[in-house]
Amino acid sequence: ALPPPSVLDTPPVSVPTAPTPAPAGPRGHDGAEVRGRRGETIIVAPPRGSGGDMALSDLVDCDITLLEGVAALWVDKLVRCRVVSLPIAGAVHITGCEGCAFHVASRQIRIHQTARTNFYLHAGSHPIIEACSGLRFAPYSKAADVAEEMYTAAGLAKDGNLWNSVDDFLWLRAQQSPNWQVLPEAERVAHDTAWPTAAKVP
């Protein structure tokens, strides 16, 4: 059995940060970015004029909550972080993460070069993994607390969830890929904190 990721149940808390505009880069986003933080609690929504794109990069031991309005999410190089998001209208791209937990709902979820990470998903299509190991999947744990209209606005059906229909692009055999498994119910962690109503700005 794979060891559980090293995700802190109660990450260190410090002053949250607001996103800063980010130029278009190799990941393709041109919205707002939270970058280079350590040990922070971050509650954020895309600022006006960003187009709704959000990027998270180079974060360590952070607890991130994404509020309503995210059109697409780009994640790069997170270590021991927890990311919790309301439904996202566009795609979620996750690259180079380790020991994290993601609670996300999206029509398209792509995961690259990520290890020892738990995913709690509401997926509108098959989640795709590539060059990953030690991934574990469970259903989106905030499903009961998210209003149906938020799913509708994101183009998702609340009752249609493909969280465990994972496609491994580098595993072409008929047998189950060794790079992911279903997260046992006894090890699932609910994100039971109430949703904030606004982003915190220092």
Side-chain angles (χ1 to χ4, degrees), residues 111-115 129-133 168-170 179:
I111 305 161
H112 305 273
Q113 299 172 339
T114 290
I129 69 173
E130 186 172 11
C132 296
S133 63
D168 186 345
F169 271 16
L170 296 183
N179 298 314

Side-chain angles (χ1 to χ4, degrees), residues 30-60:
D30 58 359
E33 183 166 19
V34 177
R35 176 193 301 173
R37 304 293 182 177
R38 180 182 291 268
E40 295 192 18
T41 294
I42 301 165
I43 302 172
V44 68
R48 292 182 179 180
S50 69
D53 282 11
M54 280 293 307
L56 307 172
S57 64
D58 299 303
L59 306 178
V60 179

Side-chain angles (χ1 to χ4, degrees), residues 4-12 37-40 58-64 77-83 96-102 114-118:
S6 301
V7 178
L8 299 179
D9 291 333
T10 308
R37 304 293 182 177
R38 180 182 291 268
E40 295 192 18
D58 299 303
L59 306 178
V60 179
D61 293 326
C62 289
D63 193 352
I64 306 107
K77 297 177 184 175
L78 270 58
V79 178
R80 298 186 303 276
C81 291
R82 179 174 64 173
V83 178
C97 297
E98 184 172 359
C100 295
F102 290 90
T114 290
R116 299 175 50 254
T117 291
N118 290 344

Side-chain angles (χ1 to χ4, degrees), residues 17 24-25 29 49 57 64 70-72 75 84 95 105 109 111-112 117 119 122-123 128 134 156 159 169-170 182 199:
T17 183
H29 71 84
S57 64
I64 306 107
V70 178
V75 180
V84 184
T95 303
I109 300 165
I111 305 161
H112 305 273
T117 291
F119 291 89
H122 187 101
I128 293 171
L156 293 166
D159 295 331
F169 271 16
L170 296 183
V182 171

